[in-house]
């Protein structure tokens, strides 16, 4: 939950985009259910379920948009890591796990939004010159997996929401009154 508030500080546009994506998805959600069940009407319970689904999806979509933004600005984080590592370590020095942990701690301290996506990592066997590129690649890789997990949560919420909404809709039977019409052969008319 704190991740949402940190994202608010980090980028208000993540929240706007998350809500917009959620609104479009929910409109499509109700449109598709209405298309499959033409003779059904939504009950107030259907809309309450839709509201809770909106809240859950808005949070997930906002976190996804935030992760996408961090992926897009990961070269900036790489350059920050490069400056830090260049300040404290010679380029050919091999970085230990403890030293790489200190670099991550500094990065998370300097950019608190990152703690909601990752907060640890042990990079061993890399030189100080290689470390920033490796950390940047790992940040992007981890965030892609994070986005996949959030998308799977969204899919689960939508499936459960669809089942609940479909069970809550009121199905009305429509009776079509067809009048019985008899046709006669055209030879009989003349």
């Amino acid at each position: 939950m704190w991740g949402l508030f940190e994202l608010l500080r980090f980028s208000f546009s993540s929240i706007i985009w998350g809500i917009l994506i959620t609104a479009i998805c929910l409109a499509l959600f109700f449109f598709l259910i209405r298309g499959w069940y033409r003779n059904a009407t939504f009950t107030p319970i259907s809309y309450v379920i839709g509201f809770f689904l909106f809240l859950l999806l808005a949070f997930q979509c906002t976190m996804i948009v935030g992760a996408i933004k961090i992926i897009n600005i990961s070269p900036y984080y790489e350059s920050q890591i490069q400056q830090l590592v260049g300040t404290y370590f010679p380029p050919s020095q091999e970085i230990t796990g403890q030293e790489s942990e200190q670099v991550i701690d500094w990065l998370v301290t300097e950019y608190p939004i990152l703690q909601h996506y990752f907060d640890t990592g042990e990079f061993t066997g890399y030189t100080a010159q290689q470390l920033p590129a490796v950390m940047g690649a790992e940040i992007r890789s981890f965030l892609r997996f994070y986005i996949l997990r959030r998308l799977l949560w969204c899919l689960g919420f939508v499936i459960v929401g669809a089942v609940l909404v479909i069970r809550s809709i009121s199905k009305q039977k429509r009776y079509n009154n067809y009048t019985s019409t008899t046709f006669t052969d055209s030879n009989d008319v003349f």
Side-chain angles (χ1 to χ4, degrees):
M1 187 66 174
W2 288 109
L4 185 63
F5 295 119
E6 190 68 28
L7 268 177
L8 177 62
R9 197 183 79 166
F10 175 70
S11 176
F12 186 69
S13 66
S14 295
I15 293 175
I16 299 300
W17 277 107
I19 289 172
L20 181 64
I21 291 168
T22 302
I24 291 169
C25 289
L26 275 182
L28 183 62
F29 173 82
F30 279 106
F31 177 76
L32 289 174
I33 289 177
R34 179 61 126 166
W36 288 328
Y37 295 94
R38 293 190 190 279
N39 61 344
T41 56
F42 294 113
T43 62
I45 293 174
S46 303
Y47 292 111
V48 169
I49 293 168
F51 175 74
F52 283 113
L53 186 59
F54 177 83
L55 293 177
L56 293 170
L57 291 179
F59 178 77
Q60 297 299 326
C61 288
T62 300
M63 296 301 281
I64 289 169
V65 170
I68 290 170
K69 284 184 173 248
I70 291 173
I71 287 173
N72 289 337
I73 62 171
S74 65
Y76 170 76
Y77 295 126
E78 265 184 62
S79 69
Q80 296 299 312
I81 294 169
Q82 180 69 42
Q83 288 177 358
L84 176 72
V85 169
T87 303
Y88 294 106
F89 306 104
S92 61
Q93 179 183 343
E94 188 172 304
I95 304 296
T96 66
Q98 185 180 9
E99 291 169 333
S100 68
E101 188 69 38
Q102 290 172 344
V103 171
I104 290 176
D105 288 343
W106 172 85
L107 189 65
V108 170
T109 302
E110 192 69 27
Y111 304 101
I113 188 68
L114 296 177
Q115 74 184 1
H116 302 290
Y117 297 100
F118 67 94
D119 62 355
T120 187
E122 191 170 304
F123 298 88
T124 56
Y126 299 103
T127 64
Q129 186 176 9
Q130 297 169 330
L131 189 64
V134 170
M135 282 186 164
E138 187 63 27
I139 288 170
R140 287 186 290 277
S141 173
F142 179 80
L143 288 175
R144 285 185 191 107
F145 182 66
Y146 179 86
I147 290 169
L148 176 65
R149 287 192 330 246
R150 294 290 165 197
L151 288 172
L152 291 175
W153 274 106
C154 288
L155 179 63
F157 291 146
V158 167
I159 290 171
V160 170
V163 168
L164 293 174
V165 166
I166 289 170
R167 293 187 74 187
S168 72
I169 57 177
S170 141
K171 296 176 183 140
Q172 301 170 349
K173 293 184 180 179
R174 291 184 183 171
Y175 295 102
N176 292 329
N177 294 332
Y178 294 105
T179 56
S180 174
T181 308
T182 57
F183 296 97
T184 58
D185 191 18
S186 63
N187 293 333
D188 294 339
V189 174
F190 297 106

